[in-house]
Amino acid sequence: MNRVALIGIMIEDNKASAEINAILHEYSEYVVGRMGLPNVRDNMNVISVVIDAPADVVNAMSGKLGRIDGVTSKSICSKSEEA
């Protein structure tokens, strides 16, 4: 069962962009939309990604992103599941 989730990605090291894009591509079948805000403050970039996926996929994707040096990732999920 799928949930709609928002994954927030804070990037403080621009060298991480290739790894981030590889993970986003890996999970592209679940991505509904994505918005990037470059240089929000002092070379900090922010990406928000909306996905429609099972909870374990949401957790795996957010976890992989958060393990990249210079990157913080958090997710929030809808309370309702798709039947």
Side-chain angles (χ1 to χ4, degrees), residues 1-7 50-55 58 75-82:
M1 290 195 252
N2 286 3
R3 293 182 183 267
V4 173
L6 171 66
I7 298 178
V50 176
I51 63 174
D52 187 355
V58 174
S75 63
I76 56 173
C77 294
S78 63
K79 291 183 180 182
S80 62
E81 294 182 5
E82 177 186 276

Side-chain angles (χ1 to χ4, degrees), residues 10-75:
M10 307 282 275
I11 306 158
E12 297 180 65
D13 183 354
N14 287 331
K15 295 175 189 167
S17 62
E19 272 187 273
I20 293 166
N21 284 324
I23 292 169
L24 293 176
H25 179 73
E26 178 184 347
Y27 291 94
S28 62
E29 68 184 276
Y30 302 107
V31 174
V32 175
R34 151 186 183 172
M35 177 180 65
L37 301 170
N39 203 18
V40 173
R41 182 186 68 184
D42 299 327
N43 294 320
M44 179 183 293
N45 302 296
V46 178
I47 301 173
S48 57
V49 181
V50 176
I51 63 174
D52 187 355
D56 59 330
V57 171
V58 174
N59 293 332
M61 182 177 175
S62 183
K64 285 182 182 182
L65 290 163
R67 284 190 291 278
I68 300 170
D69 287 338
V71 176
T72 302
S73 175
K74 299 291 179 186
S75 63

